[in-house]
Amino acid sequence: MINKLTAKIQKTKAPIVVGLDPMLNYIPKHIQEKAFQEFGETLEGAAEAIWQFNKEIVDKTYDLIPSVKPQIAMYEQFGIPGLQAFKKTVDYCREKDLVVIGDIKRGDIGSTSAAYATGHVGKVQVGKNRIAAFDEDFVTLNPYMGADSIYPFIDVCKEEKKGMFILVKTSNPSSGDFQDQLVDGRPLYELVGEKVAQWGEDFMGDSYSYVGAVVGATYPEMGKTLRKIMPKSYILVPGYGAQGGQGKDLVHFFNEDGLGAIVNSSRGIIAAYKQEKYANFGEENFADAARAAVEAMVADINGALEAAK
Amino acid sequence: MINKLTAKIQKTKAPIVVGLDPMLNYIPKHIQEKAFQEFGETLEGAAEAIWQFNKEIVDKTYDLIPSVKPQIAMYEQFGIPGLQAFKKTVDYCREKDLVVIGDIKRGDIGSTSAAYATGHVGKVQVGKNRIAAFDEDFVTLNPYMGADSIYPFIDVCKEEKKGMFILVKTSNPSSGDFQDQLVDGRPLYELVGEKVAQWGEDFMGDSYSYVGAVVGATYPEMGKTLRKIMPKSYILVPGYGAQGGQGKDLVHFFNEDGLGAIVNSSRGIIAAYKQEKYANFGEENFADAARAAVEAMVADINGALEAAK
């Protein structure tokens, strides 16, 4: 799957991922109204609105992009119907041949991590059957609990040829509270980065590892250091656009082969129609605005990479 | 809800929580067979088996205990039907007046943590309606991303009078990989413990805070230190029984008032019938074995607390 991700990035020339993190207030009124007419102002109604919104965004962007990243929290808040919309979104994106990164940030003691791994990237045994539950291609993981919270994911991913991105340095303002604490004079996130590199060494694709990292676009200097610590790990970079990151900040997240990083934007794309810049599309044409925002993002990043050569 | 938890612990004289973490291989054959007959060897069949298993355990133990802790991973691995069983379990336990700790170990950037908080301990706005999705009483949280990943839970919990337990020092063997790293000569988990105490100061119940901590039974010396760092925080203590902790290891997790800690056992109770000690109950009477294991656990812990006086 890391080879597929790399190949798709090369083919689309778009080292980006579209974050499918729909908040209800991003969803145009006409979609919400139609869903509420059918299902009422219920969890089912909200889930239907989310699904219809996602589908239209995917239909209008899938040919331009290698990958999507649904953030499961945005679905989980609508309970079971919300998670059904998550699952439908995962399935639909895979049908469109997109690489699906489940942004789940899980991590727990060994047997529990094994259950998460089984549910999200593996198959669960029920009697004689082995059944895939959520079936994403990659997941994001939280490393706070240490190596034995990660190994079960590595085991399952090896079997399924799937992969993971482990939180190293996150994009949010408070990420430094613990991640930046100095351990023997070096920030904790560097130690985590070293572990990611080490875990990944034994689980390589053709040129990159199945074990990647999350490093926020909002911390470009740290990204530069971490790029060197984890040369074979793909870096998933959140924080572009709405959170403040720009193309020029991202140059050092990439390797000299022009690969090794994939930049996420969520709001900046899926709610592009709300920005002044794309207002001319109108609410009805929100997915065309998303497509234009994808094109602008790709141009911004590729331009920055070109300028840095 | 922290006052309710404290009152229930005092009433039952049982500072314990039963971990409802059903693996299919814990579930007696007769329950699995019945569920598979009705729903096939499918996710729905597995979910039905889990639900029937949980229900019988709860029916046979609810009068002895203050609280249960369903581990959501064990349900999530069975996809949507599994999560429906999680929700049914949460609802049923709340009907039985048990305090329900959702062991979800979530944590993300601000807006995403807000979605998790809304879904698990709050209410989500859909049109004119505010709807509770999962509706647990407490949740467990992962602090790696820092303060702004926790605040949204504090905000929602203040509104709903609900609470949280934040991972400080976890029970698993690799927990030291990052948690034990020395920062200015002190382990990281102490820093996290200080933050927990600080976050909790502004969100107090009558005698304890709504912001608790998770500290593993497998690290009793660290528990002793953390007890002092977080005097007003309830400590949720996993790792008793199957993971190796015993009553005598737990004395220093409690305050002098005999309160301040709640000890979890999962396998040791729900799969007690598989232990030699409880084999005489037979597989059919697994829930009676669970009741006996609850009684033995309470006696062990109270005996140790009594002996330490």
Side-chain angles (χ1 to χ4, degrees):
Chain A
M1 197 49 74
I2 191 69
N3 297 339
K4 179 174 176 180
L5 181 63
T6 306
K8 281 192 73 90
I9 290 170
Q10 288 174 310
K11 192 177 160 204
T12 56
K13 296 188 180 61
I16 72 161
V17 50
V18 172
L20 295 173
D21 310 355
M23 313 263 267
L24 271 188
N25 63 10
Y26 297 170
I27 301 181
K29 286 233 162 47
H30 69 280
I31 292 183
Q32 290 197 46
E33 277 166 11
K34 191 164 174 234
F36 292 162
Q37 253 169 23
E38 194 171 353
F39 296 97
E41 291 180 347
T42 59
L43 297 178
E44 289 76 11
E48 172 67 10
I50 286 173
W51 158 241
Q52 294 299 341
F53 177 72
N54 283 351
K55 187 172 175 301
E56 208 162 327
I57 299 264
V58 171
D59 285 343
K60 284 280 167 73
T61 58
Y62 79 96
D63 59 313
L64 297 179
I65 58 175
S67 182
V68 292
K69 181 176 73 61
Q71 164 54 262
I72 199 169
M74 297 305 170
Y75 303 83
E76 210 166 305
Q77 69 180 325
F78 297 106
I80 303 294
L83 287 158
Q84 284 167 325
F86 175 82
K87 174 63 178 147
K88 272 163 94 167
T89 300
V90 169
D91 290 348
Y92 189 71
C93 291
R94 292 191 66 188
E95 275 170 38
K96 292 281 185 189
D97 203 37
L98 291 165
V99 174
V100 178
I101 303 169
D103 197 353
I104 64 173
K105 296 190 179 69
R106 304 299 196 246
D108 210 301
I109 65 166
S111 54
T112 307
S113 264
Y116 279 129
T118 296
H120 285 279
V121 284
K123 296 190 181 74
V124 67
Q125 191 81 40
V126 182
K128 290 175 298 296
N129 301 322
R130 296 185 72 236
I131 310 170
F134 287 107
D135 214 13
E136 299 105 300
D137 297 313
F138 284 82
V139 284
T140 58
L141 302 179
N142 185 315
Y144 184 68
M145 295 179 73
D148 60 15
S149 69
I150 303 295
Y151 291 147
F153 282 92
I154 293 180
D155 290 344
V156 171
C157 284
K158 277 188 176 169
E159 198 168 323
E160 304 285 340
K161 299 260 184 216
K162 294 183 172 184
M164 69 204 74
F165 295 96
I166 298 171
L167 301 185
V168 173
K169 172 67 188 173
T170 56
S171 61
N172 54 316
S174 303
S175 68
D177 284 355
F178 306 122
Q179 296 165 24
D180 291 3
Q181 293 292 338
L182 295 182
V183 177
D184 293 332
R186 298 170 59 211
L188 179 67
Y189 63 75
E190 289 191 17
L191 259 77
V192 179
E194 280 171 9
K195 283 279 183 189
V196 166
Q198 189 186 315
W199 293 326
E201 267 172 25
D202 296 330
F203 189 17
M204 285 293 297
D206 292 341
S207 49
Y208 282 92
S209 172
Y210 285 85
V211 183
V214 175
V215 183
T218 40
Y219 301 103
E221 282 305 311
M222 300 176 185
K224 192 172 177 178
T225 308
L226 286 163
R227 175 70 286 165
K228 287 175 192 145
I229 291 175
M230 312 175 293
K232 295 293 180 193
S233 296
Y234 248 89
I235 301 179
L236 171 63
V237 189
Y240 178 89
Q243 285 184 59
Q246 295 177 26
K248 65 180 170 49
D249 303 323
L250 298 170
V251 171
H252 299 296
F253 289 79
F254 289 82
N255 276 321
E256 285 180 11
D257 58 5
L259 295 168
I262 183 158
V263 183
N264 179 76
S265 176
S266 302
R267 250 177 303 172
I269 291 174
I270 66 174
Y273 77 96
K274 293 197 161 207
Q275 297 172 43
E276 216 181 301
K277 198 171 156 191
Y278 300 107
N280 59 318
F281 283 97
E283 195 170 321
E284 287 276 335
N285 303 310
F286 67 98
D288 293 304
R291 185 177 178 91
V294 164
E295 287 170 336
M297 180 179 174
V298 171
D300 175 37
I301 294 171
N302 286 341
L305 287 175
E306 210 45 56
K309 265 185 186 169
Chain B
M1 196 51 73
I2 191 68
N3 297 337
K4 179 174 175 180
L5 181 63
T6 306
K8 281 193 74 89
I9 290 170
Q10 287 173 312
K11 191 177 160 204
T12 55
K13 295 187 181 59
I16 72 162
V17 50
V18 172
L20 295 173
D21 309 355
M23 311 262 267
L24 270 188
N25 63 9
Y26 296 171
I27 301 180
K29 287 233 162 46
H30 69 280
I31 292 183
Q32 290 197 46
E33 278 165 10
K34 195 168 170 228
F36 291 161
Q37 255 169 23
E38 195 171 351
F39 296 97
E41 291 180 347
T42 58
L43 298 178
E44 288 75 12
E48 172 67 9
I50 287 172
W51 158 241
Q52 293 298 340
F53 177 73
N54 283 352
K55 186 174 176 301
E56 209 163 325
I57 300 265
V58 171
D59 285 342
K60 283 281 168 73
T61 58
Y62 78 95
D63 58 315
L64 297 180
I65 58 175
S67 182
V68 292
K69 180 176 74 61
Q71 164 55 259
I72 199 168
M74 298 304 172
Y75 304 82
E76 208 165 306
Q77 70 180 320
F78 298 106
I80 303 295
L83 287 159
Q84 283 168 324
F86 176 82
K87 174 62 178 149
K88 271 164 97 168
T89 300
V90 170
D91 289 348
Y92 189 70
C93 292
R94 292 192 66 188
E95 275 170 36
K96 292 282 185 188
D97 203 35
L98 291 163
V99 174
V100 178
I101 303 168
D103 197 353
I104 63 172
K105 295 190 179 70
R106 303 299 196 247
D108 211 302
I109 65 165
S111 54
T112 307
S113 263
Y116 279 130
T118 296
H120 285 280
V121 283
K123 297 189 181 75
V124 66
Q125 191 82 38
V126 183
K128 289 175 299 296
N129 300 322
R130 294 186 71 235
I131 310 170
F134 287 107
D135 212 15
E136 299 105 298
D137 297 314
F138 284 83
V139 284
T140 59
L141 301 180
N142 186 314
Y144 185 68
M145 295 179 70
D148 60 17
S149 69
I150 304 295
Y151 291 146
F153 283 92
I154 293 180
D155 290 344
V156 170
C157 283
K158 278 187 174 167
E159 196 168 323
E160 302 286 340
K161 299 260 185 217
K162 293 183 173 184
M164 68 205 75
F165 295 96
I166 298 172
L167 301 186
V168 174
K169 172 68 189 173
T170 58
S171 62
N172 55 315
S174 303
S175 68
D177 283 355
F178 306 121
Q179 297 165 25
D180 292 3
Q181 293 292 339
L182 295 182
V183 176
D184 293 332
R186 300 170 59 211
L188 179 68
Y189 62 78
E190 290 191 17
L191 259 77
V192 180
E194 281 171 8
K195 282 281 183 187
V196 167
Q198 190 186 316
W199 292 327
E201 267 172 25
D202 296 330
F203 189 17
M204 287 292 298
D206 291 342
S207 49
Y208 282 92
S209 171
Y210 284 84
V211 183
V214 175
V215 183
T218 41
Y219 301 102
E221 282 306 311
M222 300 176 186
K224 194 172 175 176
T225 308
L226 287 164
R227 176 70 287 168
K228 286 175 191 142
I229 291 174
M230 313 175 290
K232 295 293 181 193
S233 295
Y234 248 88
I235 301 180
L236 172 63
V237 190
Y240 178 89
Q243 284 184 60
Q246 295 176 27
K248 65 179 169 50
D249 302 324
L250 298 171
V251 171
H252 299 296
F253 289 80
F254 289 83
N255 276 320
E256 284 181 11
D257 58 6
L259 296 169
I262 184 159
V263 183
N264 180 76
S265 177
S266 301
R267 252 176 301 175
I269 290 176
I270 67 174
Y273 77 97
K274 292 199 162 205
Q275 298 172 42
E276 217 181 301
K277 199 172 157 190
Y278 301 107
N280 59 317
F281 282 97
E283 195 169 320
E284 288 275 335
N285 303 308
F286 68 98
D288 294 303
R291 184 177 178 91
V294 164
E295 287 168 335
M297 180 179 174
V298 171
D300 176 38
I301 293 170
N302 286 341
L305 288 175
E306 209 44 55
K309 263 186 186 166

